[in-house]
Amino acid sequence: MKLGSPFRPRLLSALLFSIFLGSAPATPAQERGELRIATSYKLMTLDPQYANLNENTSLLSHIYERLVYQDENLELKPGLATSWRPLSDTQWAFKLRDKVRFHDGSAFDADDVVYTIERIRDFLKPPSGGFRSYVSGIKSVSAPDPLTVLIETDGAVPNLPLFFSSIFVMNRPAKGFETTENLNAGHPPNGTGPYRFESWSSGESLRLARNDDYWGGRPAWSKVTFRVIENPAARVAALSTGEVDVADAIPARDVASLKERGARVASVGAARVNFVQFDVARDTLPGVTDKSDEPIANPFKNPLVRRALTLATDRGILVDKILAGYGTAAAQVFPNGLPGTSAKLLPEAPNYDEAKMLLAKAGFPDGFNLVLAGPAGRYPGDAESLQAVAQSWARIGVNAQPAAAPFSVFNTKRAAGDYGVWYGGTSGEAVDIILHTLLASPDPERGTGALNFGKYRNEAFDAMLARAESIAVGPERNAALAQATELVMADQPIIPLYHFHHIVGYGSRIGSYVLHPRGWTTAMQTRPAME
């Protein structure tokens, strides 16, 4: 098992930048017809600002674009904005790219950026306002000229450009704000991206056509079809038989057999974490009982219990067996070595004897029963990880019943409070983004804790995180984030399990596939094979 190994990007910044922005135009020899992609991502909405989920941001990035782009080192690069600079602690100026047009032919300008910010901040409300935390600190936004946006914030927001690396820009309509219902009902999405919308069948497919007028150059594929195949084995089969050209989220166990059948595989470490999360707020929890199946007081309120379960979790099995080495054991939210991570936090080997002692000290010498929920087919090795964690916990008397469900079902039940403890995963642009959404105290006004379904609260951590976020991007900010992470992880509101590797397989029609640690699956990452 690789404990605490540093994250080492393996891609070229310039290549990735050109691919994701579509600025590497296809040559005639490279142009191809339809690109067929089997994806695990189930597009949930055609509203690019509704939900901050990878399936939406990945697929809709063909149609819509951001002001700022993150390369494979998570460094910021120009997108629809060519430059940006702070005018003061609370004022920013963004210069926009000229001669960019939306798919309906209208010109992109600063008024569209103003509309985008105001729609997210003032119109979309939680839970639909998945990006609201990125703009909640913006006091005002204006357009002094068509290619300049001025932003004033309520306080210092030194990483404001980073926030815009997640926000898609929409075209301002003739009046009012575009509703999510209208977008989902068939109103054609209108972005500036390299591909135009053709059709969408929820849960089944997304069809796109090349935008020949794309400012970044003519895309390589004339048509792109995404087929939603949630079952990993079915995605592998579709690639093996040639039904699709690319398949994402390939299970590590299938890599060898795919290669034997002539497919190629690309992989990269993910800027994300998979974890176990506890409900620490309610007095009793569904599915948590004593050994006689009688309800008990919420054991996860006790940090000794959380620590015991952490010590009884064998990350080595998860990484080496389930992920077949395509992953890194985790002790914090990002792989060691990325900005904002702590070199002091390293994964621990299991210690069952100490875990039993802690359980006894917490008042559970015989352990207890619980239901361990999680999604099936959402992440590499998710259902198997549930089984492995349950087997580890059984060694200290905690009998965990794995309950895997399709992600849509799991996500709905988790939000409704149907679970007491669950397996999940999240990604983000930076360490502070994940800390902000996953571990900070839930506060809709501040936009914190959107993924803190366990309702964990730690005022000392909140204060340390707020201080870190007030520091300009650089070594001082990174050190402050590392210290905040050390504090909160000592309390174990979650058990970080692993940082899996994104694995994509591709067939003979594909010359190369360039991966990004954010885990996007796009046509722009795919280069046709040369004849």
Side-chain angles (χ1 to χ4, degrees):
M1 178 175 61
K2 301 175 183 177
L3 296 181
S5 60
F7 178 84
R8 301 186 186 278
R10 291 174 285 175
L11 307 178
L12 297 175
S13 298
L15 177 60
L16 257 179
F17 181 54
S18 67
I19 286 175
F20 277 94
L21 291 183
S23 57
T27 64
Q30 289 177 309
E31 290 185 10
R32 293 296 184 273
E34 181 183 13
L35 173 67
R36 305 159 302 167
I37 300 177
T39 182
S40 60
Y41 289 146
K42 184 178 180 180
L43 183 63
M44 296 182 174
T45 176
L46 291 177
D47 186 338
Q49 297 164 358
Y50 181 85
N52 190 7
L53 296 171
N54 232 24
E55 51 264 65
N56 293 332
T57 57
S58 179
L59 298 183
L60 292 179
S61 67
H62 296 79
I63 302 169
Y64 297 96
E65 295 184 288
R66 308 168 176 92
L67 291 180
V68 181
Y69 167 74
Q70 271 188 308
D71 69 10
E72 89 288 0
N73 294 314
L74 305 187
E75 299 291 341
L76 301 182
K77 303 293 182 182
L80 289 176
T82 57
S83 65
W84 50 89
R85 64 187 179 94
L87 304 178
S88 69
D89 287 344
T90 59
Q91 292 182 316
W92 285 82
F94 286 76
K95 290 294 183 180
L96 306 183
R97 194 174 297 276
D98 195 8
K99 298 180 181 179
V100 175
R101 292 196 171 274
F102 287 92
H103 296 162
D104 66 357
S106 60
F108 159 73
D109 63 24
D111 200 38
D112 299 307
V113 179
V114 173
Y115 167 77
T116 289
I117 293 171
E118 291 178 342
R119 181 175 187 264
I120 297 172
R121 185 192 62 188
D122 305 329
F123 181 69
L124 294 178
K125 305 297 182 183
S128 62
F131 297 90
R132 193 181 182 198
S133 63
Y134 297 133
V135 298
S136 59
I138 294 177
K139 182 178 180 180
S140 65
V141 55
S142 60
D145 65 64
L147 296 179
T148 303
V149 176
L150 295 182
I151 294 175
E152 184 175 356
T153 59
D154 287 323
V157 186
N159 65 337
L160 185 66
L162 175 65
F163 293 164
F164 287 115
S165 70
S166 286
I167 294 173
F168 289 123
V169 176
M170 292 181 66
N171 182 221
R172 180 185 286 275
K175 60 180 180 178
F177 292 106
E178 189 76 84
T179 67
T180 300
E181 292 75 17
N182 193 29
L183 288 169
N184 288 338
H187 190 274
N190 184 29
T192 61
Y195 290 91
R196 301 170 182 266
F197 174 83
E198 280 205 337
S199 67
W200 171 53
S201 179
S202 180
E204 296 181 8
S205 65
L206 173 68
R207 298 182 186 278
L208 305 165
R210 177 167 55 202
N211 176 14
D212 289 325
D213 298 322
Y214 181 56
W215 63 266
R218 184 184 172 102
W221 304 96
S222 61
K223 300 280 187 180
V224 179
T225 297
F226 283 90
R227 288 177 52 192
V228 179
I229 304 179
E230 295 187 86
N231 183 279
R235 286 196 303 278
V236 170
L239 178 62
S240 299
T241 59
E243 293 178 35
V244 298
D245 305 302
V246 176
D248 65 15
I250 297 296
R253 63 176 179 270
D254 293 318
V255 168
S257 63
L258 271 177
K259 289 181 176 179
E260 289 175 358
R261 284 176 276 181
R264 285 174 288 175
V265 171
S267 69
V268 70
R272 63 172 303 120
V273 65
N274 283 69
F275 52 85
V276 170
Q277 189 172 36
F278 304 103
D279 184 323
V280 299
R282 290 180 286 177
D283 293 331
T284 59
L285 298 174
V288 180
T289 67
D290 63 17
K291 291 301 182 68
S292 300
D293 288 328
E294 294 296 323
I296 59 175
N298 182 353
F300 308 129
K301 287 189 173 185
N302 192 329
L304 294 178
V305 173
R306 302 196 298 267
R307 176 62 179 160
L309 292 173
T310 300
L311 286 172
T313 301
D314 190 344
R315 296 172 176 88
I317 290 178
L318 302 178
V319 171
D320 295 338
K321 302 298 183 183
I322 295 175
L323 299 181
Y326 284 91
T328 305
Q332 53 191 314
V333 298
F334 263 11
N336 287 32
L338 282 179
T341 56
S342 170
K344 297 179 182 178
L345 292 176
L346 300 174
E348 299 175 275
N351 188 328
Y352 299 108
D353 291 336
E354 185 178 348
K356 288 180 181 178
M357 291 174 58
L358 289 174
L359 269 189
K361 188 176 181 180
F364 300 97
D366 299 322
F368 51 88
N369 299 336
L370 59 84
V371 173
L372 179 60
R378 168 74 172 179
Y379 310 110
D382 48 15
E384 297 92 337
S385 293
L386 285 180
Q387 296 284 348
V389 171
Q391 291 171 10
S392 290
W393 289 358
R395 298 184 60 170
I396 63 170
V398 175
N399 296 329
Q401 176 186 344
F407 179 71
S408 58
V409 175
F410 164 78
N411 197 37
T412 299
K413 289 188 173 184
R414 178 179 59 177
D418 290 353
Y419 304 134
V421 56
W422 54 88
Y423 162 98
T426 188
S427 62
E429 304 86 342
V431 163
D432 55 302
I433 299 296
I434 294 186
L435 296 177
H436 193 88
T437 57
L438 182 64
L439 297 173
S441 299
D443 186 338
E445 291 303 315
R446 293 179 54 233
T448 58
L451 298 181
N452 185 353
F453 295 105
K455 301 298 187 288
Y456 172 76
R457 294 182 180 275
N458 185 326
E459 291 183 2
F461 167 69
D462 290 341
M464 290 184 71
L465 179 59
R467 176 187 173 275
E469 291 179 324
S470 71
I471 302 171
V473 174
E476 183 182 355
R477 180 189 181 93
N478 292 338
L481 288 171
Q483 291 172 2
T485 301
E486 292 163 10
L487 174 74
V488 72
M489 291 316 307
D491 205 23
Q492 303 287 178
I494 63 170
I495 303 176
L497 298 177
Y498 52 75
H499 313 286
F500 65 71
H501 292 179
H502 297 296
I503 308 175
V504 169
Y506 54 98
S508 59
R509 295 181 67 233
I510 308 303
S512 63
Y513 188 92
V514 181
L515 277 161
H516 191 282
R518 292 284 301 278
W520 297 318
T521 302
T522 74
M524 294 81 79
Q525 296 163 258
T526 308
R527 282 292 178 262
M530 300 293 290
E531 293 182 344

